[in-house]
Amino acid sequence: MPLTVGTAGHIDHGKTALVEALTGKNTDRLPEEHARGISIDLGYAPLELPDGTSLSVVDVPGHERFVRTMVAGASGIDLFLLVIDAGEGARPQTHEHLAILRLLGIEHGVVALTKADLVDSETLELARLEAEELVPGAPVVATSARTGAGLDELRSTLAQVAAQVTRHDADGPARLHVDRSFTLRGIGTVATGTLWSGSIGEGDELRVEPRGRSVRVRSVQVHDRPVERAEAGQRVAVSLPGVERQELRRGDVLVAPGTLRPSFRLDVTLEPLGEIPPRITLHHGTSETVARVARAGDRYAQLRLARPVVAARGDHVVLRAGTTVAGAVVLDPAPPRHAGLARFEALERGETFVHAPARVDGEWLWSAEWLDELRAELERGIDDADPLDPGVPVPAAEWSKAVVPHLGLELRGAKLYRPGASAELGARKEAAAALAEALGVEPVRVADTQLARFLEEQGRLVRVGDGFAISREAYERGRAVLVDGITLAQFRDALGVGRKTAQLYLERFDADGVTRRVGDTRVLRRRR
Ligand SMILES: Nc1nc2c(ncn2[C@@H]2O[C@H](COP(=O)(O)OP(=O)(O)OP(=O)(O)O)[C@@H](O)[C@H]2O)c(=O)[nH]1
Ligand SMILES: [Mg+2]
C-alpha cells in the first residue's frame, strides 16, 4: 500500500539531514536553501523500507514564516515523522506542527530525537520523556544523521507504524492537489502532488480546478518511474501536454470530470485552538485563501472564501491568522449561503439536506446538485432553442428570483441566455437571402415570423400588416413622400402603389409614431 510520510518539527532540528540519511537524497533543491542552510520549499524523496514497504517522504520547512508551506506539505500525508533536536527539546514550531498534524487528522507517526551524537545519555533520556509526553502513543527513536545511529531502528519503526495506517479511498474520484509544476523539454508541463483518492492513468481526462480547464494525461510517474496507473496515496507526477506552466500551480486540483466542484463556501465543524478571528487564512489541500468565518453556535461555521476550493465532505482544513487558530472538518463542501444552526446539526447527523429549493428562515436554500441539474436542463433548452433567439423563459417558480443569479446565465427581459450569446441565422441563411431578394416596395408575405423579427432588428426589412414585409429602402421612400395632412389617395399616388399597400404603409407609420390619423388625413408628429 503506497503511503506518504511527512516530516514536522522546529527549524534546524535536523529534518532534512535525517531524510537524507534515510533516503540518500538531499531534498533541499533551491540555491537559497543551501545558502541559508534552511529549508524553504517542500522536498520529496522515496524511502524503501526493509520489509518492502515503500514510502514517499515529504520534507517540510521548520521556519516560522513557512508554516503555510508545511501545511501544504502535510495535507495528504498518511503518517508523520516528528523531528525533535535532542539537545533543544520541543520548541514553538514543534508544537505548532504537531497541532497542525492533529487538526489534519494525521494520527500515526514516529518521533525522531535527532543529533543524539551531540548530547549525553542523561539529556537524551530527558528528551525521550518529554517526547513521550508530548506525543502519547507514538514510538520515540533516538537518531544521529551524522553517525547513522538509530537509523535502522527508525526504518523498522516506520514500517511498523505504516502497517497500522488504513488507507483512504482508492475507489473515490481521482483527486490530486498540485504541490509543484514544472516544464520539461519535449514533455511539457508536469504537475506533482499526492493522490488523495482514486487513480490516474495514461489518457485519462481530468479537470484543472478551480480554473475549470479540461486536460488529458499523457503519462504518469511515481518517483521518476513511469506507471500505467497511479493509486491513491502515491506521490504522482502527471504530464499534461498543451498546458502552460503558469496555468497550473500549487493549490490547483486535478479531479475526475463531473465529480468535485469548486466552491466559495464550506460548512465545517470547528476545532478551535483559541480565539478565532472573523478573517482567517484557510488552508485546504495545497491551497490557501483568505476567508471569513460566519459562526453558527460554538461548534459550527460557514467559511466564505475569497477563492474557491475543491473539497469533499470529511476533508480536514486548517485556519491560520498569523498562527494556527483552528482546524475544521468539512460537513458540506458546497452549501448555500446560510448560518442556520439546525442545518449544521442535520448535516453532522448525516441527513441529506434540501435538494430542490426550500424556504428556511425566510431564505431560499437548495443543493449545489439541484442547481447543476437545473442549469443543465436550461442549457439543453437553450441548445434546442431557435438560433435567432437562443434563450429559454425564466422558470416560473417562487424561488426564481433567488436562484436565477446563481445559474451563471444572462437574464435579458424574461429569458435566460448563455452569457454574451447573440442571435444567429443558423439554417435560415438561405431563407434570409431569398427573402432579401424578394423584398421591395410591394409587401411580401413572410411566414417565418421569428426570421422577420430578427431581420427587422438588424434593419434589413420592415414588417407591415399581419405577416408581410417591405424593404427598408421602400419604407424610407414612403416616409420621404409624407406631407402634413396627406390623405390615403394622395399617399398612394405619390408612392405609386395600390390602395391596400398604401394602407399598410400608413398603419406602420402610425405605429412608429411618424404620423397620426385625423379623420381622412395623416398629420405628421413631431419627432421625439
Ligand atoms: N551533529 C549533528 N548535526 C546534525 C544532525 N542532524 C542535523 N544536523 C545539523 O543541524 C543543522 C540543521 O539541519 P537540517 O536538517 O537542515 O534542519 P531542518 O530541520 O531541516 O531545518 P529547516 O528545514 O530549516 O527547518 C545542519 O547544520 C545539520 O548539519 C545530527 O544528527 N548530528
Ligand atoms: Mg530542512
Side-chain angles (χ1 to χ4, degrees):
M1 189 168 50
L3 293 172
T4 304
V5 55
T7 62
H10 198 72
I11 184 166
D12 253 1
H13 276 200
K15 296 177 289 299
T16 305
L18 187 59
V19 170
E20 185 172 4
L22 284 170
T23 67
K25 185 172 168 187
N26 186 321
T27 52
D28 281 347
R29 298 167 289 120
L30 306 174
E32 198 190 342
E33 292 179 317
H34 289 287
R36 292 171 65 183
I38 62 168
S39 300
I40 293 171
D41 206 349
L42 302 172
Y44 305 97
L47 172 60
E48 304 289 335
L49 296 177
D51 70 342
T53 311
S54 63
L55 295 178
S56 299
V57 185
V58 179
D59 182 41
V60 307
H63 195 295
E64 189 187 352
R65 283 202 26 231
F66 306 134
V67 174
R68 47 206 288 258
T69 309
M70 180 271 172
V71 182
S75 68
I77 65 172
D78 301 292
L79 57 155
F80 61 81
L81 176 58
L82 180 67
V83 166
I84 303 176
D85 184 322
E88 280 211 336
R91 307 270 289 125
Q93 268 63 56
T94 317
H95 296 290
E96 188 170 11
H97 284 193
L98 190 58
I100 288 166
L101 293 169
R102 284 188 178 135
L103 295 174
L104 289 174
I106 299 148
E107 295 161 12
H108 301 283
V110 180
V111 182
L113 300 174
T114 53
K115 312 191 191 182
D117 57 293
L118 295 181
V119 297
D120 56 32
S121 59
E122 219 166 278
T123 311
L124 191 61
E125 215 33 54
L126 217 64
R128 182 187 291 280
L129 290 174
E130 190 197 19
E132 280 168 358
E133 209 170 295
L134 191 65
V135 201
V140 180
V141 182
T143 65
S144 167
R146 179 126 330 153
T147 66
L151 293 182
D152 284 339
E153 189 192 341
L154 180 57
R155 285 192 186 93
S156 58
T157 309
L158 279 169
Q160 277 162 30
V161 174
Q164 297 163 17
V165 176
T166 46
R167 210 20 245 207
H168 29 101
D169 203 5
D171 302 324
R175 171 158 60 137
L176 183 146
H177 291 268
V178 175
D179 51 35
R180 217 148 50 106
S181 72
F182 48 88
T183 310
L184 290 182
R185 202 195 305 240
I187 289 181
T189 294
V190 176
T192 67
T194 305
L195 192 51
W196 280 29
S197 60
S199 67
I200 293 182
E202 210 178 293
D204 284 4
E205 195 184 316
L206 297 173
R207 277 178 71 83
V208 182
E209 297 290 6
R211 288 157 202 259
R213 198 195 146 137
S214 293
V215 291
R216 194 169 287 283
V217 175
R218 178 189 278 161
S219 61
V220 185
Q221 294 198 337
V222 174
H223 284 302
D224 303 330
R225 280 198 305 262
V227 295
E228 219 165 277
R229 294 203 76 79
E231 295 155 43
Q234 285 182 313
R235 273 206 57 76
V236 181
V238 286
S239 77
L240 303 166
V243 178
E244 297 294 320
R245 188 191 160 180
Q246 61 272 18
E247 291 181 289
L248 203 59
R249 261 188 300 211
R250 175 175 295 170
D252 287 341
V253 190
L254 293 170
V255 282
T259 55
L260 303 170
R261 286 162 297 100
S263 162
F264 278 98
R265 287 185 290 269
L266 298 175
D267 279 356
V268 299
T269 47
L270 290 171
E271 292 172 56
L273 297 178
E275 191 79 0
I276 304 176
R279 258 175 86 94
I280 50 95
T281 303
L282 171 76
H283 295 258
H284 171 258
T286 53
S287 77
E288 54 186 279
T289 176
V290 176
R292 283 192 307 116
V293 182
R295 299 285 289 260
D298 293 336
R299 206 173 144 63
Y300 307 106
Q302 179 162 90
L303 307 177
R304 299 179 180 153
L305 321 179
R307 288 193 311 122
V309 297
V310 181
R313 185 180 165 103
D315 281 1
H316 289 253
V317 300
V318 172
L319 280 51
R320 301 193 78 240
T323 173
T324 305
V325 295
V329 179
V330 175
L331 284 175
D332 185 344
R337 196 185 168 86
H338 79 105
L341 196 56
R343 185 188 160 98
F344 284 101
E345 286 165 352
L347 279 169
E348 195 168 25
R349 284 195 303 271
E351 282 172 27
T352 39
F353 222 78
V354 286
H355 184 58
R359 222 200 285 264
V360 180
D361 300 336
E363 245 189 292
W364 283 106
L365 301 181
W366 58 86
S367 74
E369 289 72 25
W370 176 85
L371 189 70
D372 283 348
E373 284 166 17
L374 176 66
R375 185 186 300 111
E377 187 188 314
L378 292 171
E379 283 177 345
R380 275 196 298 278
I382 286 172
D383 291 339
D384 292 343
D386 192 324
L388 289 176
D389 183 24
V392 288
V394 170
E398 267 191 294
W399 42 256
S400 237
K401 242 193 151 124
V403 169
V404 163
H406 297 272
L407 283 166
L409 297 171
E410 198 174 305
L411 181 64
R412 292 183 216 155
K415 283 185 151 186
L416 292 165
Y417 298 80
R418 286 216 166 82
S422 59
E424 276 176 40
L425 276 173
R428 271 131 134 171
K429 269 212 181 77
E430 277 175 30
L435 186 58
E437 199 71 16
L439 285 172
V441 175
E442 287 301 329
V444 293
R445 176 168 280 289
V446 188
D448 188 342
T449 52
Q450 289 271 25
L451 181 65
R453 189 177 309 129
F454 173 73
L455 292 175
E456 185 172 68
E457 273 164 17
Q458 292 207 325
R460 287 157 71 174
L461 58 73
V462 177
R463 288 180 296 161
V464 291
D466 196 7
F468 291 89
I470 56 174
S471 72
R472 183 86 221 172
E473 295 73 35
Y475 178 86
E476 293 302 337
R477 206 185 314 158
R479 219 176 132 135
V481 303
L482 287 174
V483 289
D484 211 19
I486 197 166
T487 64
L488 176 64
Q490 286 167 340
F491 178 74
R492 177 197 64 196
D493 294 343
L495 196 60
V497 293
R499 186 187 162 82
K500 201 153 184 267
T501 297
Q503 182 69 30
L504 290 177
Y505 274 68
L506 289 175
E507 279 168 8
R508 174 76 202 225
F509 290 139
D510 290 346
D512 289 347
V514 178
T515 51
R516 184 159 52 90
R517 192 172 164 181
V518 179
D520 283 342
T521 67
R522 251 68 182 193
V523 282
L524 293 181
R525 290 168 72 135
R526 237 179 306 142
R527 266 237 170 95
R528 267 172 293 173

